[in-house]
């Protein structure tokens, strides 16, 4: 089929580019990334049935028009248009293909219908019938786009923090993590793995042809007026590529306030007093997923001011904080926590946040920064506030440097909260159909906190090489409440359940002996 080509001046189009005129066949069969790369868009068919393609660059017309004609299987007519107008129209189309629901759930799925688990059965059926093996092409088609949109929207609506796409020998399992717990939501035919993974990779600008190496990517999707960051990781396994999507909801930015963390007033007041110091090091400890980053971001927002230079080095930057200079490590280019921290020190900082102390070099530089007049915040993966001290010693930091620099260590955990709607008692006949907790009896999470503030007695013990148990006894004598005690108090107030506390905290020696 020959390509009819016309070359008017850029301003010669009789009407502006209209997204409503873009044909369905163009949207379904031409990947949006390809259209963006070559700045080409459809304006529907003319009176003769030719697809009207609007180009921004005359030099690319012949080849690109030929490729698109082969995909849409109809004659095309090529015109020239304004590049900015084409780009804006393509952005609008891409936004429609991304997650776009707000209050109107009918924007999810085919025919405006959403299913209980967010999957559109019609889209699944269409993908299973598709015989196209061009992954780039099928990743932009309506069924797979709607399938991923429904999956992401439903995960966000359920408050999920992660979505797992896990291939098994014969099936594909979709899981999500809600309130810290993984749950299976759908088992799909294994044949859907490639189009689903390819669509996610396209969204994150990852290489869809590379299946043998792990990849990382990021994407941003819109939900009404708000945006959600997707942090995407793919990993080859014996049964295919496994993908995990971390959902970072920017709508939760207002959550980053110390008063919203759920700290008891006694701990919150002491912690705020420590964070108000002009220099020193403050550590937040706990396992992955215990809310350390949320606490650090809350502190940074509290201490940030126009007369302070606040800087961070993170891996990755999860949320952008106003008025704060945030940097991300890049190990491929030699930017680690240690090297990044060195460069930050040349930027005349007042407050520094190091995403994590992983090695001896980072620990030493962070300690030296605290000793030279900087307020330093960081995280450690330890089980308690007291073991943050012993962990620094294990990393090779001399005890006298710890005594001179460490101001406090805050350990924390997240436990699931009893559902406010059905009370989470398990005795309510309405719990099984509770729209808030979906029958779990638990909805949302609340923090448990253990605050160690260094005093003279603790410094003496550190200097003499005391064990963690000795430090803990002295800290408790000074008023420190353990994570276990904080959890049992939450059980007594009905905030959570004993099973949750047993799941996330260790039994104290005193409790085990009683």
């Amino acid at each position: 089929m020959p390509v009819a080509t016309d070359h008017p001046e850029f301003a010669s189009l009789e009407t502006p580019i209209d997204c409503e005129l873009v044909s369905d066949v163009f949207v379904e069969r031409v990947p949006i990334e390809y259209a963006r790369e070559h700045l080409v868009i459809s304006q529907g068919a003319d009176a003769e049935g030719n697809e009207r393609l609007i180009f921004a660059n005359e030099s690319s017309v012949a080849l690109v028009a030929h490729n698109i004609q082969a995909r849409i299987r109809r004659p095309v007519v090529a015109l020239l248009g304004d590049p900015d107008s084409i780009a804006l129209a393509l952005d609008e189309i891409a936004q429609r293909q991304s997650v776009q629901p707000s209050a109107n759930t009918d924007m999810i799925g085919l025919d405006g219908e959403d299913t209980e688990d967010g999957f559109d059965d019609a889209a699944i059926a269409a993908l299973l019938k598709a015989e196209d093996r061009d992954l780039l092409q099928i990743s932009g088609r309506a069924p797979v786009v709607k399938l991923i949109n429904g999956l992401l929207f439903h995960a966000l609506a359920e408050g999920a923090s992660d979505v797992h796409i896990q291939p098994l020998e014969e099936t594909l399992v979709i899981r999500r993590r809600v309130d810290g717990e993984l749950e299976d939501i759908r088992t799909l035919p294994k044949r859907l793995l490639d189009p689903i993974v390819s669509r996610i990779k396209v969204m994150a600008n990852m290489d869809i042809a590379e299946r043998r190496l792990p990849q990382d990517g990021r994407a941003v999707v819109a939900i009404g007026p708000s945006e959600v960051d997707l942090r995407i990781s793919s990993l080859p396994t014996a049964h295919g590529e496994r993908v995990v999507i971390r959902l970072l909801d920017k709508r939760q930015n207002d959550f980053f306030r110390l008063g919203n963390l759920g700290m008891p007033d006694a701990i919150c007041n002491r912690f705020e007093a420590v964070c108000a110091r002009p220099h020193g090091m403050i550590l937040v400890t706990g396992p992955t997923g215990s809310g350390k980053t949320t606490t650090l971001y809350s502190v940074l927002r509290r201490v940030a001011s126009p007369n302070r230079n606040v800087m961070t080095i993170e891996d990755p930057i999860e949320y952008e904080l106003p008025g704060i200079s945030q940097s991300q490590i890049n190990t491929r280019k030699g930017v680690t926590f240690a090297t990044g921290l060195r460069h930050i020190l040349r930027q005349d900082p007042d407050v520094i946040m190091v995403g994590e102390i992983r090695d001896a070099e980072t620990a030493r530089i962070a300690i030296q920064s605290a000793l030279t007049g900087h307020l330093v915040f960081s995280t450690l993966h330890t089980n308690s506030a007291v073991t943050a001290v012993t962990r620094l010693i294990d990393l090779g930091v001399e005890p006298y440097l710890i005594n001179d620099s460490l101001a406090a260590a805050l350990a924390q955990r997240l436990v699931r909260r009893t559902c406010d709607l059905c009370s989470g008692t398990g005795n309510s006949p309405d719990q099984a159909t509770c729209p808030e907790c979906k029958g779990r009896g638990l909805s949302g999470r609340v923090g448990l906190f253990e605050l160690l503030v260094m005093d003279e007695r603790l410094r003496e013990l550190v200097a003499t090489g005391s064990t963690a148990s000795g430090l803990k006894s002295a800290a408790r004598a000074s008023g420190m409440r353990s994570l276990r005690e904080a959890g049992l108090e939450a059980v007594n107030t009905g905030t959570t359940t004993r099973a949750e506390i047993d799941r996330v905290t260790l039994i104290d020696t005193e409790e085990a002996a009683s």
Side-chain angles (χ1 to χ4, degrees):
M1 293 181 291
V3 177
T5 307
D6 189 11
H7 300 304
E9 296 296 328
F10 277 85
S12 65
L13 291 177
E14 297 179 359
T15 58
I17 293 175
D18 185 354
C19 287
E20 300 301 327
L21 295 179
V22 179
S23 65
D24 292 339
V25 69
F26 182 88
V27 172
E28 290 182 10
R29 299 184 183 179
V30 179
I32 190 66
E33 291 73 22
Y34 184 85
R36 276 175 160 169
E37 179 183 356
H38 298 286
L39 280 181
V40 56
I41 195 168
S42 158
Q43 286 291 270
D46 60 16
E48 286 75 32
N50 301 313
E51 188 79 11
R52 298 172 65 241
L53 299 180
I54 313 301
F55 287 82
N57 187 356
E58 183 176 349
S59 63
S60 65
V61 166
L63 178 60
V64 176
H66 175 79
N67 290 339
I68 292 177
Q69 179 177 277
R71 284 180 176 270
I72 66 177
R73 301 185 180 93
R74 67 170 58 165
V76 300
V77 174
L79 306 171
L80 292 180
D82 175 55
D84 292 338
S85 297
I86 295 174
L88 286 173
L90 290 172
D91 286 344
E92 184 175 340
I93 292 174
Q95 195 173 24
R96 291 179 182 179
Q97 290 183 345
S98 190
V99 180
Q100 280 289 343
S102 55
N104 300 321
T105 56
D106 62 355
M107 300 184 73
I108 291 298
L110 293 173
D111 302 324
E113 295 183 0
D114 187 21
T115 59
E116 183 179 352
D117 57 9
F119 287 89
D120 191 300
D121 292 328
I124 293 174
L127 283 174
L128 290 174
K129 291 179 180 178
E131 298 182 357
D132 200 328
R133 293 295 178 264
D134 185 341
L135 291 180
L136 182 59
Q137 178 172 339
I138 199 171
S139 66
R141 298 182 64 179
V144 69
V145 170
K146 292 185 177 181
L147 182 63
I148 299 302
N149 286 358
L151 169 63
L152 293 177
F153 173 65
H154 200 267
L156 288 163
E158 291 295 311
S161 61
D162 302 86
V163 173
H164 292 233
I165 297 169
Q166 181 177 353
L168 302 179
E169 185 175 1
E170 297 180 353
T171 59
L172 175 63
V173 178
I174 310 297
R175 313 172 80 190
R176 63 179 171 225
R177 188 179 297 277
V178 179
D179 294 337
E181 292 290 296
L182 267 178
E183 58 186 26
D184 293 351
I185 56 175
R186 179 69 79 97
T187 298
L188 299 174
K190 184 72 172 289
R191 181 180 171 185
L192 297 182
L193 175 64
D194 286 345
I196 287 176
V197 171
S198 297
R199 172 60 189 169
I200 294 170
K201 284 185 171 183
V202 166
M203 292 172 63
N205 292 318
M206 298 160 67
D207 186 356
I208 68 170
E210 181 55 75
R211 304 183 187 179
R212 297 170 297 177
L213 297 175
Q215 294 187 65
D216 295 306
R218 300 190 73 168
V220 178
V221 294
I223 298 183
S226 304
E227 290 184 340
V228 176
D229 277 336
L230 307 180
R231 198 170 76 206
I232 298 167
S233 171
S234 69
L235 179 71
T237 70
H239 301 302
E241 282 189 282
R242 192 183 196 281
V243 175
V244 175
I245 306 172
R246 169 65 56 87
L247 308 171
L248 302 172
D249 193 348
K250 293 185 177 182
R251 298 172 298 179
Q252 296 180 354
N253 248 343
D254 288 339
F255 183 73
F256 298 129
R257 301 185 187 279
L258 279 176
N260 295 337
L261 296 181
M263 281 187 190
D265 290 341
I267 293 180
C268 189
N269 292 337
R270 293 189 72 193
F271 189 56
E272 286 183 340
V274 172
C275 295
R277 298 183 182 186
H279 57 80
M281 184 166 70
I282 299 169
L283 298 175
V284 180
T285 77
T288 300
S290 60
K292 300 187 298 295
T293 299
T294 299
T295 298
L296 285 177
Y297 280 3
S298 302
V299 171
L300 291 181
R301 290 192 62 168
R302 182 61 175 253
V303 303
S305 64
N307 60 350
R308 267 182 157 180
N309 181 17
V310 182
M311 304 189 70
T312 76
I313 179 72
E314 307 175 50
D315 180 30
I317 298 172
E318 294 195 0
Y319 295 91
E320 295 180 5
L321 302 177
I324 295 175
S325 299
Q326 298 172 261
S327 304
Q328 182 166 322
I329 71 169
N330 187 335
T331 54
R332 292 183 179 179
K333 296 185 178 180
V335 181
T336 62
F337 281 121
T339 58
L341 184 52
R342 284 200 190 94
H343 288 290
I344 284 177
L345 290 172
R346 299 170 191 155
Q347 294 284 316
D348 187 30
D350 296 298
V351 180
I352 303 170
M353 192 270 272
V354 183
E356 183 183 347
I357 294 179
R358 297 176 178 172
D359 51 54
E361 184 180 12
T362 306
R364 284 194 295 268
I365 299 173
I367 292 283
Q368 291 297 330
S369 302
L371 291 173
T372 53
H374 304 92
L375 184 59
V376 179
F377 296 94
S378 190
T379 69
L380 276 176
H381 285 281
T382 64
N383 290 326
S384 66
V386 168
T387 51
V389 176
T390 56
R391 174 59 177 156
L392 289 176
I393 294 175
D394 289 341
L395 288 173
V397 179
E398 291 80 359
Y400 76 90
L401 291 178
I402 296 175
N403 282 339
D404 289 342
S405 61
L406 183 63
L410 178 75
Q412 65 182 70
R413 298 290 189 277
L414 292 176
V415 293
R416 291 180 292 177
R417 186 194 297 268
T418 52
C419 178
D420 293 332
L421 193 59
C422 68
S423 300
T425 61
N427 300 320
S428 170
D430 297 328
Q431 181 178 318
T433 58
C434 176
E436 184 70 21
C437 69
K438 306 299 188 295
R440 304 182 190 99
L442 301 163
S443 177
R445 290 190 286 178
V446 64
L448 304 179
F449 301 93
E450 173 185 288
L451 179 61
L452 172 74
V453 178
M454 296 296 291
D455 57 21
E456 291 305 317
R457 176 59 180 155
L458 288 170
R459 290 189 175 93
E460 289 175 4
L461 292 173
V462 171
T464 57
S466 176
T467 62
S469 60
L471 292 172
K472 181 177 181 179
S473 296
R476 294 186 67 171
S478 299
M480 185 189 80
R481 185 179 61 168
S482 71
L483 286 169
R484 183 74 177 181
E485 290 171 325
L488 294 176
E489 182 176 330
V491 173
N492 291 334
T493 59
T495 303
T496 187
T497 65
R498 180 61 181 262
E500 277 294 289
I501 301 306
D502 291 341
R503 182 177 65 87
V504 301
T505 66
L506 298 174
I507 298 177
D508 289 337
T509 304
E510 292 84 351
E511 183 185 352
S514 61

